[in-house]
Amino acid sequence: MRIGIDLGGTKIEALALGDDGRELGRHRVPTPRDDYEGTLQTIARLCERLERQTGQRGSVGVGIPGTLSSRTGLVKNANSVWLNGRPLDRDLARVLERPVRLANDANCLAVSEASDGAAAGEAVVFAAILGTGTGAGVALGGRPHVGRNGVGGEWGHNPLPWATPEETPGPDCYCGKRGCLETWVSGTGFENDYARLTGTRLPGPDIAARAEAGEPAAVTVLQRYADRLARGLAHVIDILDPEVIVLGGGMSNVSALYRLVPEQWARWVFGAEVDTPLRPALHGDSSGVRGAAWLWRPGEAEETAGR
C-alpha cells in the first residue's frame, strides 16, 4: 500500500491507498506548530497507526507547503517556517526506517488528479490551488515536475499578465514583490477586491453567492476575478500547453468560473484557439494527500515498503 501525508500548517492528514486507489484508512491530527521534532514524531505515529489498522507496511510520500532546495537538500519557501532549513526527507527516512519522497503540496494535487482524478491518464497536467494563497504544480506522465531549481509550477509568484494601469504595480505580496498572481487570484485576493470596491469584507463563498444572486458589486468582482484568472492561465497555455488544467482550493468551488474563464482566455492565448479543458479537482480537499501517496508508483511502493 501507499501512505500519503499532507503536512499543513494547522493539520496533518494521513491516508493509506491500495494499488487500485481504494482508500484503506485515513486520520487527521493537529499540526504541532513550531515544533520540528514534534512534527516528525506525529508523522511517524500516523504511519504506525495506518499500518496497524491495515496490517500492511507502506511506502511514504509527503506533501509540504514548500520545496527541497536542489543545492542544499533542505526545505525552503515553506510557510510552515519551522520546516525551513531542515533535511525533512532524510529525517523522516531515519524515523520511519524507509525512503521517503517529498513534493510541494500543489505538485501533489497535480499528481493526484493525473493519476486517478479529473485529468486521469493525461501526459501534461497543470493544477492550481486557489485558496488562502495561490500555488500550482505540474505533473508530467503522472510524476511531479520539480525543475532544476525546485520551483517548477510556481505560477503564483509570477506577475499578473497584461496588467492594466489600474492593476499596476499591484498589491504587496509576502514574497517581497508586488502584483504577484497570488495577490489577485487567491481566495484572499478575491475578498480583498470586494472589500476595496464596497468597503465591506466578506468570505469568498458569500461573495460568490451574492454574485449568483445578481448583486452588482459581487458580479463586477467575480467578472474581474475570472478575467485575471483567464490571463494567468493563458500564460500557462502559451508556455506549457497542458492537456488539462485542474483547479483546487476554495475558489475552485465557484462553478461560474468554468464558464467565465474559457469564455475569456482565447483573447490572450497566442493564436486565439483554445480547447483546453478546465476542471475542478475530482478529489477535492483529498487531492493533496492522495497525490502524496501516489509519489510512489506500483512496484516502487512494494520495494520501498520492504516487501
Side-chain angles (χ1 to χ4, degrees):
M1 70 173 181
R2 290 164 194 76
I3 294 173
I5 303 291
D6 183 8
L7 174 50
T10 58
K11 56 86 180 171
I12 301 176
E13 186 169 11
L15 174 76
L17 292 182
D19 276 343
D20 57 358
R22 182 170 51 91
E23 183 176 318
L24 305 177
R26 180 195 296 259
H27 302 287
R28 179 184 291 193
V29 298
T31 301
R33 293 184 60 82
D34 302 314
D35 183 351
Y36 182 71
E37 284 300 322
T39 299
L40 297 178
Q41 294 304 317
T42 298
I43 291 172
R45 286 193 294 270
L46 285 167
C47 291
E48 181 183 3
R49 185 176 177 185
L50 286 169
E51 290 179 339
R52 283 200 315 268
Q53 178 181 345
T54 60
Q56 301 181 61
R57 181 175 168 86
S59 60
V60 179
V62 183
I64 64 171
T67 190
L68 286 177
S69 167
S70 59
R71 293 186 180 182
T72 66
L74 306 178
V75 175
K76 66 176 183 177
N77 298 341
N79 54 21
S80 298
V81 294
W82 65 94
L83 303 176
N84 287 325
R86 302 282 195 161
L88 182 59
D89 57 340
R90 298 196 296 273
D91 285 342
L92 282 173
R94 169 178 52 80
V95 170
L96 297 173
E97 299 181 337
R98 75 198 80 173
V100 173
R101 285 184 176 169
L102 263 62
N104 177 265
D105 50 9
N107 282 336
C108 288
L109 167 65
V111 168
S112 172
E113 295 299 320
S115 296
D116 63 352
E122 298 291 358
V124 183
V125 177
F126 182 82
I129 299 175
L130 308 175
T132 304
T134 297
V138 178
L140 303 177
R143 300 280 193 170
H145 173 65
V146 178
R148 183 177 181 125
N149 301 296
V151 293
E154 282 292 356
W155 172 70
H157 293 284
N158 287 281
L160 176 68
W162 301 286
T164 66
E166 294 77 17
E167 295 167 336
T168 306
D172 291 328
C173 184
Y174 79 89
C175 73
K177 300 180 178 66
R178 298 191 67 175
C180 291
L181 271 163
E182 172 160 316
T183 67
W184 295 111
V185 301
S186 62
T188 306
F190 182 59
E191 294 168 5
N192 288 344
D193 197 25
Y194 185 82
R196 283 191 295 267
L197 181 62
T198 66
T200 301
R201 177 163 291 278
L202 293 175
D206 290 357
I207 301 168
R210 289 185 176 210
E212 187 174 355
E215 181 194 289
V219 169
T220 296
V221 168
L222 181 59
Q223 289 175 337
R224 284 203 297 233
Y225 179 92
D227 172 62
R228 289 161 179 158
L229 183 57
R231 280 182 269 160
L233 292 177
H235 221 199
V236 172
I237 294 169
D238 279 347
I239 295 170
L240 187 64
D241 205 3
E243 267 87 27
V244 178
I245 295 175
V246 178
L247 302 182
M251 292 301 295
S252 71
N253 297 318
V254 181
S255 59
L257 293 177
Y258 301 94
R259 172 180 55 85
L260 293 172
V261 171
E263 284 177 354
Q264 297 184 55
W265 61 16
R267 296 170 53 207
W268 308 106
V269 171
F270 181 64
E273 295 181 0
V274 189
D275 64 359
T276 309
L278 179 68
R279 299 171 181 162
L282 180 65
H283 297 297
D285 291 343
S286 295
S287 247
V289 71
R290 290 179 67 90
W294 283 117
L295 293 175
W296 293 94
R297 310 304 289 179
E300 294 178 328
E302 295 166 5
E303 182 179 347
T304 188
R307 298 198 167 183

